[in-house]
Amino acid sequence: MSNVLNPTRAKQTSDPLIVRLLQSVTQLDPDRLEDLYNSPSKGEVSFEEMVIRSGVANERQIAEAYARHYLMPLFDPPSDTPPPVDPGVAEILPSRLCRDHLIAPLSDDGQTIEVAVFSPDSLLLADEVKLITGRQMRPLFTTLSVIERLLSVLYEEGSWTSSVSSSTAASFEEVDEQEDLDDEETAEATEIVHLDQAPPPGRDGRIIRYVNSIFEQALQSGASDIHIEPYEDNCRVRLRIDGSLTEVAPPPMQLLNSVISRLKVLSKMDIAERRLPQDGAIGLRSGEHRVDMRVNTCPTVYGEKIVMRVLDKNALPHDLSSLGLDERQFQDLSEAIRSPHGLMLVTGPTGSGKSTTLYSCLNYLNDSETNICTVEDPVEFKFAGINQVQTRSKVGLTFSSALRSFLRQDPDVIMVGEVRDNETADICMRAALTGHFVFSTLHTNDALSSITRLKDMGIESFLLSSTIRLLVAQRLLRRLCNECKTPTQLDAATAARYGIDPKTVVFKPAGCSRCRETGYRGRLAVFEIIRINTEIAEMIQAGATVEKMQKAAVADGMKLLKDSALEKVVSGETGLEEALSVCVH
């Protein structure tokens, strides 16, 4: 009974854990404790930080007390040397998660990740760490100053991880981007995800943090696409980095539906519709940095697969010279697109950089004296000074109908996202004949094969020979990692086969931590630029084969796609196997 009525005893039993642990080994100053409880900073910082600031105990005493109580190791590196940690572990956990909770990754063996912690509250992050990384968390207590040193080493200012903190949750704003098409259709908006706020507690916070961690990994690694794929007993998350898919830690199966619903909500899709494909868009913003994502769902036998295309406008080349053209190719391209009328076609498979080339050309022509109109599906990047139209097949706004409208809009330059049918091809040709310069794309293996493709669509040879000014084919090759590429020489037979001097030193991929052991880091474009001169125009009208036209182009000093690729091998920018896998059939 005396214990119940004793106010000092009641005060002790309600003390925070750290105060009770410290009092078990030393006598704390009661006056400082009183100041601690009455501190105006209460609730703004962690209680452990308040203990240090008030002088009740130092950070080492706190770390030792927690380590003893929880029977966990104490991480205590020397203060006069850099912390013994591999900077590569910074890629494992998002910067914002570590800074918000004062934790720091120390090591990773593929199964367990060691994490330095300062407060017991951080122990509750074990499930979240497993959700993000797929590894068990092994905590080690340490001091606050060690945590701060680790964070400064692992997440230096200026890195993408710190400048775009993507482990955090989203607060949302709606930005109207398109007007109502009619009374029945409401304006579309892109959800803007702000990556600078803490997530809410509980299950929703776990889902939000996981989704944003995927965004972070994609942006930090320069991925072009994010794939989330459900299967019978598991799911798979993959990022397309430098053209190749790489697996990352998936969410637990019990959370997969919540993750997909989260992405569908952000993309403004119907979360109840799971039987039909849907399209949407998400915008990510941190400070002034803006990245858009084009989202598509597709129903599979085990659930909905989601693919997100990452569209970073800041990554686009701002001028033609940044595309990687040689001197002759740059001259042919820049002179052709300055023509008062004509047609330029860019060919290549999906993901070969055709849109980047077209946008670079439009930017080159974009000035106050030029009226530029584009019709695209979808509009991937928006530019000031260019009139861009998004097709809407449901209401009849197709490539061909938009093109007819453009011809009444006094355009100088027209860009059509893709020539998909004979009607669109015919309108493009007639626009090119009547005083407009037209850009578009086709899916063919090389530049001159587009002539055959257009003939198959019903375009007459005389129209082709009189309108086409330039044909471009392009591919993206992986760039060798400068940190680990290894010099080598080709054997005589291989060198002779590809027209390379056998004494030439070329490079091959090796693999290091900087390039994720792939030997490649980043990509570069290779081009086949065929300017239609008088000889080739006559061959088009006469119905010459692609092979004959290619020989005429080479005789005039133009390079075919494989020759451009092999030049990148000789210059040490890519490997021979990479060039052959993309450009030689």
Side-chain angles (χ1 to χ4, degrees), residues 61-126:
Q61 290 173 311
I62 293 174
E64 290 176 345
Y66 278 142
R68 284 194 304 270
H69 179 73
Y70 287 100
L71 301 177
M72 290 181 179
L74 179 69
F75 181 67
D76 187 23
S79 59
D80 56 348
T81 59
V85 60
D86 178 7
V89 298
E91 300 177 2
I92 300 173
L93 289 178
S95 166
R96 180 64 67 176
L97 174 69
C98 296
R99 295 185 187 279
D100 286 350
H101 295 279
L102 291 176
I103 66 173
L106 297 175
S107 66
D108 171 40
D109 63 6
Q111 300 294 326
T112 303
I113 176 173
E114 288 191 337
V115 178
V117 301
F118 172 65
S119 167
D121 292 342
S122 302
L123 302 179
L124 302 177
L125 297 172

Side-chain angles (χ1 to χ4, degrees), residues 18 93 239 245 296 394 431 446 542 569:
I18 187 57
L93 289 178
L239 307 180
L245 287 171
N296 175 266
K394 291 182 180 179
D446 55 65
V569 175

Side-chain angles (χ1 to χ4, degrees), residues 447-458:
L448 286 164
S449 293
S450 57
I451 301 295
T452 304
R453 180 84 175 88
L454 290 171
K455 287 182 177 179
D456 291 341
M457 290 183 179

Side-chain angles (χ1 to χ4, degrees), residues 172 191 193 207-208 210-215 226-229 237 251 255-271 278-284 293-297 304-308:
F172 311 114
E191 200 76 50
V193 181
I207 301 302
I208 291 170
Y210 176 78
V211 169
N212 282 277
S213 74
I214 292 296
F215 292 159
I226 305 170
H227 295 240
I228 300 179
E229 306 163 331
V237 178
L255 297 181
L256 177 61
N257 288 336
S258 298
V259 169
I260 290 176
S261 295
R262 167 72 176 163
L263 291 169
K264 291 174 72 174
V265 168
L266 290 178
S267 307
K268 288 188 171 286
M269 297 179 184
D270 181 359
I271 62 172
Q278 297 187 68
D279 291 294
I282 304 173
L284 307 181
M293 289 189 174
R294 193 174 73 215
V295 186
N296 175 266
T297 65
E304 290 180 286
K305 174 182 177 179
I306 290 186
V307 175
M308 293 171 277

